[in-house]
Amino acid sequence: MEFRPCIDIHNGKVKQIVGGSLKDAGDFARENYVAEQDAAFFASMYRDNGIRGGHIILLNYEGSEYYEQTRRQAFAALKAYPGGMQIGGGITAENAADYLNAGASHLIVTSYVFREGRIDYDRLQRLVDSVGKYRLVLDLSCKKTAEGYRVATDRWQNITEEKVDEALLERLADYCDEFLIHAVDVEGRGAGIEEELAALLGNWGGLPITYAGGVHSYEDIYLLKKLGRNRMNVTVGSALDLFGGHLEWDRVLEICRKNTYIV
């Protein structure tokens, strides 16, 4: 298991939010933590600790009055750690090169490749053709419904028809290098991980997957190691001491690096 750090940027500031609360209207989000430091500060910290593969997420839509502030923060983070972090939030085939040229290792994409609730394979192939499969991360962040886990798009505000299961992972593996999957229902709530989703992802064993959502204890990390068979990566947000939480950064890194998943 690898620890994959995050830099979530909303209204021009690094934040930890309750994921399901995000609304484009009024640029609203329920906040767990607002950092005094900027995005470049956190990127530099991850760089100095040799931690690669974390993600920078722009949480404002392009028409927001805060979009340019958020985008500037993101570019500053990429400049601080060139080649070390992935970036997502409003990525399209048209702007993809801007982020790669600024230093992103990978582009994280959701909403661009989903249209009217389904995967738009023409758009997906266009991205692959323009930047290459090995520079793409598909974000399949999802919410639980009566029919199972469904991909959520547009800053998790819209639920698609696409069901997150092994068949979907197999189908999309030809188009990307990794998957990033937030359990939106528990994201930022500090109520524990989504065990059913974690077990589903851990059983697949294909491309690298980063799970995010609900981690609030060291035991949660050990449980994810077990459910993910020590091959699924993890992001810890609000619970981490870097973001005002109670989990010690150094200990989280130590647990992730161990080969065991016994508490």
Side-chain angles (χ1 to χ4, degrees), residues 186-260:
V186 297
E187 173 73 17
R189 299 183 185 275
I193 64 171
E194 187 71 68
E195 294 186 32
E196 182 182 347
L197 177 62
L200 183 160
L201 301 175
N203 283 335
W204 180 54
L207 297 179
I209 295 176
T210 297
Y211 169 93
V215 175
H216 80 303
S217 68
Y218 300 117
E219 288 75 20
D220 280 340
I221 302 173
Y222 280 113
L223 181 56
L224 279 172
K225 289 172 75 75
K226 181 178 181 179
L227 295 173
R229 304 185 184 188
N230 208 28
R231 62 193 178 202
M232 187 166 63
N233 304 319
V234 64
T235 293
V236 183
S238 299
L240 201 64
D241 58 0
L242 297 182
F243 302 115
H246 60 281
L247 299 186
E248 298 174 2
W249 151 263
D250 290 340
R251 187 173 177 194
V252 169
L253 292 180
E254 179 185 358
I255 293 171
C256 290
R257 288 166 176 164
K258 287 181 178 178
N259 290 324
T260 180

Side-chain angles (χ1 to χ4, degrees), residues 118 142-151 159-166 168 185 196-197 200:
R118 304 291 296 178
C142 55
K143 291 187 176 184
K144 191 172 185 179
T145 71
E147 294 77 31
Y149 291 100
R150 301 282 181 173
V151 175
I159 307 300
T160 72
E161 299 175 23
E162 300 291 350
K163 184 178 179 181
V164 177
D165 55 19
E166 292 192 19
L168 181 67
D185 295 319
E196 182 182 347
L197 177 62
L200 183 160

Side-chain angles (χ1 to χ4, degrees), residues 22-134:
L22 192 62
K23 306 294 181 187
D24 287 347
D27 294 296
F28 174 80
R30 284 175 53 198
E31 299 167 348
N32 285 328
Y33 181 81
V34 181
E36 295 180 1
Q37 304 91 344
D38 62 11
F41 170 87
F42 290 98
S44 298
M45 179 182 297
Y46 303 147
R47 179 200 66 210
D48 293 346
N49 282 272
I51 303 170
R52 303 180 64 84
H55 50 273
I56 302 164
I57 303 294
L58 291 76
L59 292 174
N60 291 103
Y61 70 104
E62 188 170 353
S64 164
E65 65 176 297
Y66 297 100
Y67 178 74
E68 287 304 323
Q69 295 178 45
T70 292
R71 196 165 183 262
R72 284 196 295 271
Q73 285 276 346
F75 275 103
L78 292 175
K79 183 177 181 180
Y81 193 4
M85 299 201 72
Q86 306 167 359
I87 192 165
I91 304 296
T92 68
E94 290 69 35
N95 66 21
D98 295 340
Y99 293 102
L100 292 177
N101 292 337
S105 68
H106 293 71
L107 305 175
I108 303 168
V109 183
T110 307
S111 301
Y112 177 75
V113 300
F114 288 82
R115 186 157 49 183
E116 298 179 352
R118 304 291 296 178
I119 298 169
D120 185 326
Y121 284 97
D122 289 339
R123 283 190 170 191
L124 183 53
Q125 189 61 56
R126 197 180 311 158
L127 269 172
V128 173
D129 292 342
S130 61
V131 305
K133 170 187 188 298
Y134 298 104

